[in-house]
Amino acid sequence: TGKRVLAPVVELRDLAPTLLDWFGLAPPDGMDGRSLLAVTDSFAERAFEERPALAAAGDARAVRTARWRLIRRGGATQLFDLERDPLERVDVSADHPATVAELEAHLGGE
């Protein structure tokens, strides 16, 4: 049966470790990413910790967790609460400065 995963857990950097795991090979030391077989294998009981997903397009940078999406474009930063506002209509950055700071740290100096 199908399995729905709500947290953003899939990134391109996970492709190589997943393929290596599929063939029963260990990834080399220092390889970024992780195997996603635990997500696709209904027999696996391993759970993934939430990991922010990063995106970039032009001058815009974004980071998304299961609950939040932070978008930084130019000098403007917007934060959306995806649980309460899945269509991202209301910027709540002024109400959640600690969340903004935490998510901005994932964007670094980009």
Side-chain angles (χ1 to χ4, degrees), residues 2-81:
K3 178 178 176 182
R4 185 172 181 193
V5 178
L6 297 177
V9 297
V10 177
E11 294 186 272
L12 187 56
R13 65 183 173 167
D14 300 325
L15 181 60
T18 301
L19 290 173
L20 289 169
D21 191 14
W22 180 270
F23 289 106
L25 303 170
D29 289 340
M31 176 176 269
D32 201 16
R34 61 183 170 194
S35 173
L36 298 172
L37 288 187
V39 172
T40 61
D41 182 357
S42 61
F43 298 108
E45 293 298 324
R46 295 178 289 171
F48 283 107
E49 75 281 359
E50 185 178 330
R51 170 177 73 185
L54 304 174
D59 70 337
R61 303 287 181 263
V63 58
R64 184 189 187 283
T65 65
R67 180 174 179 184
W68 304 101
R69 180 184 320 270
L70 179 121
I71 301 170
R72 184 171 68 198
R73 183 176 301 125
T77 299
Q78 296 177 298
L79 178 70
F80 299 98
D81 183 342

